[in-house]
Amino acid sequence: MNRQDTIKTLQQIAAEIAQEMGYTEMRVGENRQKGIWGEGFTRYPEETYVECTKEIRWFKPDAPKDLAFGDNIEFSFRFSNPQVCIDHRKTDGSLAYVEFSDWNSEIYNKYKKEKSIMEEQLGKKLTKEEDASLEAKHPYRTGNFRPRKYQVLENDKMQGMEFLNRILEKWNKAVCRKTALTDKNSIIDKVCINYRKYDTELTSLFFDFPVKADKNLLLEAYAHIQKACNGDTVVRLINPVLTKNGDEKELEGKKMDSFFTKDENGIYEGNYKDFLESFNGRELETGICRLIDIEMDGNTTIKGSLLDFIW
């Protein structure tokens, strides 16, 4: 997500988590960066990102009014390479936090190195126009914010990890809602186009992206992809029978017209890879399988060598 969407989303996530954890009193604080970096540096991100840079804190109702750090949930900004942060601070000084940033450190280091060389050669600092041109050459601000750093600094590690996991769970759901693929052709195109770029097996990594669609559609797309890329057949069998011949396994049964009945079908929202991996090792239970070297007996009975549903 871009910066503005990230800020709105994380403010909402912080508010939800604060309420869930009993921090119901909100206070908009001073810009903490002014005390650290000074007024001039604070104006830079405000002008660059056109946003309010004040922190927001949520306290428990009985919190002292003069509490500086105390027991609170905090939404704030840090500008070492502009980051948006959610912190959980406790009165014993412990801290758990997640930082979100759109900076690519590798590209940024190349930019800084070239900038240093240019300024040394010119014998002066780059002008704003020259610096902007150099930044355009090294676009280290990707515009796509992601969680970059997780930290737990407290005695109770479990409580700290629970806080981090709450943030990431809500973040992943928010990203999924905004970026999930919802139609069969988009899913097929995304996987097949990426697969053709590389000389490698079709593994689960090619399916690691968010989707929101009915379950029949998701398996129809997967069946199309496996047939196009590997020649494998993905089907659902009624009362499948497993036969073992050494290391080889054969599965036989009557083919269903669809993967799920009307009552079984429904909308799946989440990671496509996780959805597909949930069928691994459950062929006899679900009848949903991936076969190779298939044989047909009439129009419905099918037999073939059983493969892992997805690698």
Side-chain angles (χ1 to χ4, degrees):
M1 288 192 285
N2 63 32
R3 186 175 179 84
Q4 293 303 322
D5 284 344
T6 298
I7 289 170
K8 291 176 184 177
T9 300
L10 291 181
Q11 283 177 337
Q12 182 178 354
I13 288 173
E16 289 177 2
I17 290 176
Q19 187 172 30
E20 291 168 3
M21 297 179 70
Y23 297 84
T24 56
E25 184 179 338
M26 185 185 79
R27 303 180 199 171
V28 178
E30 289 299 318
N31 189 322
R32 62 188 267 185
Q33 305 302 325
K34 289 182 180 179
I36 300 172
W37 304 107
E39 187 79 28
F41 186 81
T42 299
R43 280 199 303 272
Y44 163 72
E46 288 178 341
E47 292 170 358
T48 303
Y49 297 107
V50 194
E51 67 189 22
C52 170
T53 58
K54 291 184 178 180
E55 68 196 9
I56 303 172
R57 287 182 184 166
W58 290 267
F59 295 86
K60 292 185 177 177
D62 56 352
K65 294 296 180 183
D66 60 347
L67 201 58
F69 289 99
D71 188 12
N72 65 76
I73 304 292
E74 179 184 58
F75 171 89
S76 63
F77 301 89
R78 300 186 187 124
F79 301 113
S80 53
N81 35 305
Q83 300 154 338
V84 186
C85 311
I86 299 178
D87 300 351
H88 180 205
R89 297 179 181 274
K90 295 173 67 177
T91 50
D92 62 2
S94 60
L95 169 68
Y97 66 89
V98 182
E99 295 180 349
F100 292 75
S101 173
D102 70 337
W103 277 32
N104 182 305
S105 298
E106 185 178 345
I107 298 175
Y108 177 71
N109 289 335
K110 290 179 180 177
Y111 154 76
K112 290 291 290 183
K113 183 177 180 180
E114 187 167 342
K115 181 178 179 179
S116 176
I117 293 171
M118 288 177 65
E119 288 181 340
E120 185 176 345
Q121 291 174 342
L122 294 171
K124 66 179 183 68
K125 296 287 186 182
L126 296 185
T127 65
K128 183 180 288 189
E129 291 76 16
E130 290 169 336
D131 194 32
S133 177
L134 187 59
E135 277 197 33
K137 181 181 175 182
H138 301 284
Y140 55 86
R141 292 189 182 96
T142 65
N144 181 27
F145 274 72
R146 298 172 59 189
R148 297 289 185 184
K149 185 177 182 181
Y150 322 101
Q151 189 83 40
V152 180
L153 302 175
E154 56 179 285
N155 297 327
D156 189 347
K157 294 285 185 181
M158 288 298 295
Q159 183 176 337
M161 291 308 300
E162 180 185 351
F163 175 73
L164 302 184
N165 289 334
R166 281 189 189 215
I167 294 174
L168 296 180
E169 181 182 359
K170 291 178 182 292
W171 169 260
N172 289 333
K173 286 182 179 178
V175 171
C176 184
R177 285 194 296 269
K178 289 179 178 293
T179 63
L181 297 184
T182 58
D183 67 279
K184 184 158 66 173
N185 287 338
S186 295
I187 293 170
I188 292 170
D189 288 347
K190 180 177 179 65
V191 175
C192 289
I193 289 171
N194 286 333
Y195 172 68
R196 292 184 186 115
K197 290 179 181 177
Y198 306 99
D199 181 19
T200 185
E201 295 285 341
L202 182 68
T203 69
S204 62
L205 296 178
F206 288 97
F207 300 87
D208 190 11
F209 54 86
V211 292
K212 183 180 180 181
D214 76 63
K215 294 187 289 185
N216 264 326
L217 182 147
L218 293 175
L219 286 185
E220 288 167 6
Y222 183 59
H224 180 102
I225 291 165
Q226 284 291 357
K227 180 63 74 174
C229 297
N230 290 328
D232 301 341
T233 299
V234 177
V235 293
R236 182 175 184 182
L237 303 180
I238 302 172
N239 299 323
V241 176
L242 179 66
T243 304
K244 296 182 180 180
N245 183 13
D247 292 334
E248 289 190 11
K249 298 178 182 179
E250 284 192 344
L251 207 62
E252 182 176 359
K254 287 189 175 181
K255 178 184 175 184
M256 286 182 60
D257 292 333
S258 61
F259 289 99
F260 298 99
T261 65
K262 185 177 180 180
D263 290 338
E264 292 172 330
N265 198 25
I267 298 297
Y268 172 84
E269 181 177 4
N271 186 280
Y272 195 22
K273 172 176 171 286
D274 293 343
F275 173 75
L276 296 173
E277 287 180 338
S278 72
F279 296 100
N280 270 339
R282 299 174 59 210
E283 291 83 5
L284 293 179
E285 173 191 347
T286 66
I288 296 171
C289 56
R290 180 162 69 106
L291 305 175
I292 194 171
D293 299 330
I294 64 167
E295 299 175 8
M296 298 290 295
D297 182 5
N299 294 324
T300 58
T301 302
I302 186 172
K303 179 170 70 172
S305 297
L306 181 64
L307 300 171
D308 288 337
F309 192 72
I310 187 170
W311 293 328

